């Protein structure tokens, strides 16, 4: 312990150490883990209205095919996949033009409740006081809900239909193999860039701070963390559940629901941490006028 204390006292003025110190303090002080559970709860309540709105859009396109949808959720645990596919099957059977218009509006509004909670959590990460009206927050939440739907459709078009579209372009317009290979790489690059941009926008417009001060450079690190964190952690979580987890022994028929909640809880924590990362960078730059050194985890330990 003495060696750690000596190392900290010697290097605590370095930006990296200050960042780590402030990050640990914020995770504990801002109660990221409990807030992740709260956010996951609201997302659970809004995810099925969101799926209804999404499916009723996709149901009038070739993208609503069951195999296509099952391929797009292959990285979820199998028990969770079964719940989603069962729900999608029931909705697709009863879908109609009238249901489309009604469920689209109701689904978007209900689904945006989860986004509203995310906005509030990110706002607190920047330690800004919320003064915006309910209408403003609702419009902001609806905007990002639509952005999420666009992301899912974009992923379906590039990851599921990408090869078919490229083959059609190659045979119709006689495009060279080099161009086709470039477009194949863009199939991965474009959704990734869009995801990073969506998270960066979420982190930039959620806090109630002047946008002239909160520049894109303060939101990009958290957006990159959230994007790659969700991708990597989802695959690790799915691999663990499918190969090592014995949740069915404990939860029985509720396994799919429990795993869905655990996955959303993990995703919520990653999104909140992304907001905290941006908040720390913004604070260390002097953007909020606060002294980052006043928020220290190790000072509290080593001063005892």
């Amino acid at each position: 312990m003495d060696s750690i204390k000596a190392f900290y006292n010697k290097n605590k003025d370095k930006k990296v150490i200050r960042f780590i110190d402030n990050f640990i303090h914020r995770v504990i002080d801002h109660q990221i883990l409990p807030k992740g559970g709260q956010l996951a709860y609201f997302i659970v309540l809004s995810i099925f209205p969101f799926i209804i709105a999404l499916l009723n859009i996709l149901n009038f396109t070739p993208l609503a095919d069951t195999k296509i949808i099952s391929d797009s959720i292959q990285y979820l645990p199998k028990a969770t996949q079964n719940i989603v596919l069962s729900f999608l099957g029931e909705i697709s059977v009863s879908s109609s033009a009238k249901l489309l218009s009604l469920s689209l509006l109701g689904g978007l509004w209900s689904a945006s409740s989860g986004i509203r909670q995310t906005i509030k959590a990110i706002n607190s990460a920047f330690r800004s006081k919320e003064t915006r009206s309910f209408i403003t927050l609702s419009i902001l939440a609806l905007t990002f809900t639509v952005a999420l739907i666009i992301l899912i459709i974009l992923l379906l078009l590039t990851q599921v239909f990408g090869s078919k579209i490229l083959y059609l372009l190659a045979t119709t317009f006689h495009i060279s193999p080099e161009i086709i290979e470039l477009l194949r790489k863009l199939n991965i690059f474009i959704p990734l860039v869009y995801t990073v941009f969506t998270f960066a926008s979420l982190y930039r417009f959620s806090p109630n701070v002047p946008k002239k001060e909160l520049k894109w450079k303060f939101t990009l690190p958290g957006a990159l963390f959230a994007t790659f964190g969700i991708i990597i952690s989802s695959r690790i979580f799915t691999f663990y559940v499918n190969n090592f987890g014995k949740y069915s022994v404990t939860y029985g028929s509720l396994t799919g629901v429990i795993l869905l909640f655990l996955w959303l809880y993990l995703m919520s924590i990653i999104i909140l941490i992304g907001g905290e990362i941006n908040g720390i960078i913004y604070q260390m730059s002097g953007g909020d006028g606060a002294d980052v050194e006043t928020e220290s985890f190790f000072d509290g330990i080593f001063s005892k």
Side-chain angles (χ1 to χ4, degrees):
M1 179 64 71
D2 291 337
S3 60
I4 297 176
K5 181 178 180 180
F7 174 82
Y8 171 73
N9 289 329
K10 181 180 179 181
N11 299 280
K12 64 180 181 179
D13 292 331
K14 294 182 179 180
K15 286 187 176 181
V16 175
I17 301 299
R18 288 169 56 199
F19 178 89
I20 296 174
D21 187 16
N22 191 230
F23 175 77
I24 298 175
H25 171 83
R26 278 171 168 258
V27 169
I28 298 173
D29 187 62
H30 292 187
Q31 299 182 322
I32 295 301
L33 297 184
K35 280 186 177 180
Q38 297 172 11
L39 180 57
Y41 170 77
F42 283 101
I43 294 178
V44 166
L45 292 180
S46 62
I47 191 169
F48 290 105
F50 175 82
I51 292 176
I52 291 175
L54 174 63
L55 185 63
N56 277 279
I57 293 174
L58 297 181
N59 201 44
F60 294 91
T61 72
L63 299 177
D65 183 80
T66 304
K67 186 178 184 307
I68 294 173
I69 296 176
S70 62
D71 289 341
S72 65
I73 60 173
Q74 61 179 311
Y75 294 113
L76 292 178
K78 294 178 181 178
T80 305
Q81 289 184 37
N82 294 334
I83 287 182
V84 175
L85 289 174
S86 176
F87 181 75
L88 293 178
E90 294 178 5
I91 296 300
S92 62
V93 170
S94 59
S95 182
S96 63
K98 184 177 181 179
L99 180 61
L100 169 64
S101 58
L102 293 177
S103 65
L104 178 60
L105 296 175
L108 285 175
W109 177 259
S110 299
S112 65
S113 63
I115 303 295
R116 284 198 295 270
Q117 296 303 316
T118 306
I119 292 173
K120 290 181 180 179
I122 296 173
N123 191 46
S124 65
F126 283 79
R127 302 195 309 181
S128 56
K129 186 177 180 181
E130 185 59 76
T131 58
R132 293 169 293 188
S133 66
F134 174 78
I135 295 178
T136 301
L137 291 175
S138 297
I139 293 175
L140 191 61
L142 280 171
T143 301
F144 284 110
T145 303
V146 173
L148 184 57
I149 291 178
I150 294 173
L151 173 61
I152 293 175
I153 295 175
L154 184 62
L155 288 171
L156 288 173
L157 287 173
T158 55
Q159 306 306 306
V160 179
F161 281 108
S163 298
K164 294 181 179 179
I165 293 174
L166 290 177
Y167 175 78
L168 181 62
L169 290 174
T171 55
T172 303
F173 299 101
H174 305 289
I175 301 176
S176 66
E178 292 78 10
I179 304 257
I180 292 297
E181 183 61 27
L182 176 61
L183 293 175
R184 195 182 306 278
K185 293 179 180 179
L186 289 176
N187 272 346
I188 300 175
F189 182 72
I190 292 176
L192 194 61
V193 171
Y194 179 83
T195 304
V196 173
F197 173 75
T198 300
F199 275 119
S201 300
L202 178 65
Y203 292 135
R204 187 169 192 263
F205 294 103
S206 295
N208 187 28
V209 298
K211 297 303 173 282
K212 291 183 179 180
E213 297 179 6
L214 185 57
K215 299 178 181 179
W216 289 103
K217 66 179 181 180
F218 296 127
T219 64
L220 189 57
L224 290 171
F225 173 85
T227 299
F228 290 100
I230 287 176
I231 294 172
I232 296 171
S233 62
S234 293
R235 297 197 177 190
I236 294 175
F237 177 71
T238 300
F239 178 80
Y240 167 75
V241 170
N242 290 339
N243 294 277
F244 302 103
K246 303 296 181 183
Y247 292 92
S248 59
V249 176
T250 305
Y251 299 108
S253 59
L254 293 176
T255 300
V257 177
I258 298 300
L259 291 178
L260 176 62
F261 185 84
L262 286 175
W263 179 69
L264 291 174
Y265 175 57
L266 180 61
M267 298 303 101
S268 299
I269 291 176
I270 290 174
I271 292 173
L272 293 178
I273 289 178
E276 294 293 345
I277 290 174
N278 290 335
I280 295 172
I281 294 174
Y282 180 66
Q283 183 182 354
M284 290 180 67
S285 71
D288 61 358
D291 182 7
V292 69
E293 295 181 359
T294 61
E295 295 186 342
S296 174
F297 171 76
F298 293 111
D299 279 349
I301 295 178
F302 296 139
S303 62
K304 294 179 181 180

